[in-house]
């Protein structure tokens, strides 16, 4: 779903960010913020959204033109209806590494959570028009950003939460894509009883819409592509981002009015690509995160000698020469050795890098080339193993699917058993 220059692709090979074969027809990326955005940075000492703003971006339409087929995410599988709300945050205690003149570190957080009943609230938008347009440009001329933005979700905006205390799962997207590319997983986890916080990290996506109409573009793409910045800057910055999100969701003055439904004693994190590497980095930096999953991302930073201090971790990736033991991405072998608690190394036959996101759903809808693993199986496998992991380690529920191969999931292989 992304394409970097030849130099960047080589530099990021270990992070599994090279263009996936399924999207090989995509056009070249626009890596910089653009002159109009950069001039705005120069002109304004405070270019980011004020922390007091609490309304979601409003430029995501729900209707489509007559005759246009609307994409739809797979329905969640859990017993709960799903609510959704968007929280704009700014951490002014830090300097943004990509735009040091910015007024703090901006984050956009979408919360999905179990809702009290179906039909309460408006249908939640998938993405803003501008966010979707900027990503659609990378996918090729056959992809309409307007149609992509109108993808049907299965959650309701600001619906009343179901009663009870819920584990919290943090989600971090792949480099250059946005938090909404993990929506099918977020909605499914919420339908199973989790509060899920999907986080967009400023200047690390093709487009992140802020309230008031401002859109941040991928300054970090240029920094890694042309500036020689190491990927560990991304993972360490995201670890600090997640620490701040946890403070604002579970601290003494939470930003969400329903934050009392979150059980701060049960917190997990999963991420795709560099977001998966950030899950490990966040666990190293913050003991509040009890369990983590890396979905097909390289570890830009080696784990410390003490590992994760006994906390569980799962690596979920492609069954190919990238993420099989002894593969091109040698960081997985190093991480496996360093992990000191419950651990699994799971690979999925027929998958590719974006299998573990909304990528298969988007590709199928717009007629993009498909990997060997069908879309429905990609969605089912990702949901099954991510939910089983958090069920076992945040809820204490035995999930035998994590013990080894099963006939119900013949694509799934367990390494180092």
């Amino acid at each position: 779903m992304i394409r970097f220059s030849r130099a960047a692709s080589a530099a990021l090979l270990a992070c599994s960010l090279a263009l996936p074969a399924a999207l090989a027809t995509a056009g070249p990326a626009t890596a910089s913020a653009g002159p109009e955005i950069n001039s705005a940075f120069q002109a304004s000492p405070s270019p980011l959204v004020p922390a007091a703003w609490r309304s979601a971006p409003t430029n995501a339409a729900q209707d489509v033109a007559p005759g246009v087929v609307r994409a739809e995410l797979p329905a969640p599988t859990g017993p709960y209806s799903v609510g959704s709300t968007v929280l704009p945050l700014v951490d002014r205690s830090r300097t943004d590494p990509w735009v040091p003149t910015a007024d703090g570190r901006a984050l956009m957080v979408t919360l999905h959570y179990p809702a009290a009943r179906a039909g309460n609230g408006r249908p939640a938008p998938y993405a803003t028009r501008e966010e979707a347009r900027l990503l659609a440009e990378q996918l090729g001329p056959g992809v309409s950003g307007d149609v992509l933005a109108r993808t049907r979700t299965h959650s309701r905006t600001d619906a009343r939460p179901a009663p009870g205390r819920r584990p919290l799962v943090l989600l971090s997207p792949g480099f250059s894509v946005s938090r909404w590319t993990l929506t099918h997983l977020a909605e499914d986890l919420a339908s199973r009883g989790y509060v899920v916080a999907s986080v967009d990290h400023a200047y690390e996506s093709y487009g992140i819409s802020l309230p008031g109409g401002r859109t941040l573009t991928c300054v970090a793409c240029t920094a890694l592509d042309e500036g020689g910045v190491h990927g560990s800057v991304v993972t360490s910055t995201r670890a600090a981002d997640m620490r701040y999100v946890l403070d604002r969701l579970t601290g003494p003055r939470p930003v969400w009015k329903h934050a009392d439904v979150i059980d701060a004693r049960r917190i997990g994190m999963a991420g795709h690509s560099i977001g998966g590497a950030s899950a490990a980095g966040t666990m190293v930096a913050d003991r509040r995160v009890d369990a983590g999953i890396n979905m097909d991302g390289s570890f830009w930073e080696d784990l410390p000698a003490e590992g994760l201090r006994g906390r569980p971790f799962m690596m979920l990736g492609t069954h190919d020469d990238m993420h099989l033991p002894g593969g091109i991405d040698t960081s997985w072998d190093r991480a496996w050795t360093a992990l000191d608690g419950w651990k699994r190394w799971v690979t999925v036959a027929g998958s590719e890098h974006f299998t573990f996101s909304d990528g298969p759903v988007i590709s199928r809808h717009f007629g993009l080339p498909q990997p060997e693993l069908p879309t429905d199986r990609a969605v089912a496998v990702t949901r099954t193993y991510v939910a089983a992991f958090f069920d076992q380690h945040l809820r204490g529920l035995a999930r035998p699917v994590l013990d080894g191969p099963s006939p119900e999931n013949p694509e799934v292989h367990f390494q180092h058993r």
Side-chain angles (χ1 to χ4, degrees), residues 82-161:
V82 179
S84 175
T85 194
V86 176
L87 302 173
L89 302 176
V90 180
D91 181 2
R92 291 191 171 86
S93 70
R94 292 185 288 147
T95 299
D96 190 286
W98 314 116
V99 181
T101 57
D103 182 22
R105 175 72 172 161
L107 306 169
M108 291 296 291
V109 181
T110 295
L111 292 182
H112 290 95
Y113 53 88
R117 58 189 177 89
N120 183 16
R122 303 183 312 276
Y126 185 57
T128 69
R129 288 191 180 98
E130 185 65 6
E131 288 171 338
R133 181 189 69 80
L134 291 167
L135 180 57
E137 288 179 353
Q138 315 307 319
L139 301 180
V143 180
S144 164
D146 204 39
V147 174
L148 179 60
R150 291 171 169 85
T151 298
R152 289 185 186 274
T153 67
H154 296 274
S155 48
R156 294 275 173 168
T157 300
D158 295 326
R160 183 167 56 87

Side-chain angles (χ1 to χ4, degrees), residues 299-385:
F299 296 88
W300 280 96
E301 301 171 278
D302 286 341
L303 295 177
E306 65 270 21
L308 297 178
R309 299 182 179 181
R311 286 169 291 170
F313 199 87
M314 181 168 70
M315 304 187 304
L316 177 65
T318 54
H319 189 73
D320 57 17
D321 58 359
M322 180 64 75
H323 282 146
L324 284 173
I328 295 171
D329 184 359
T330 58
S331 73
W332 277 40
D333 292 286
R334 296 195 303 273
W336 179 259
T337 301
L339 290 170
D340 60 330
W342 186 102
K343 58 184 179 180
R344 292 292 185 271
W345 181 332
V346 179
T347 56
V348 183
S351 65
E352 51 90 19
H353 186 51
F354 281 91
T355 288
F356 310 99
S357 69
D358 290 354
V361 179
I362 295 169
S363 296
R364 180 174 65 181
H365 183 78
F366 290 104
L368 300 175
Q370 299 284 294
E372 180 183 341
L373 186 67
T375 296
D376 292 344
R377 289 301 300 156
V379 169
V381 166
T382 301
R383 288 175 165 183
T384 295
Y385 284 85

Side-chain angles (χ1 to χ4, degrees), residues 27 65 221 230 264 271 292 321:
C221 292
H230 195 263
D321 58 359

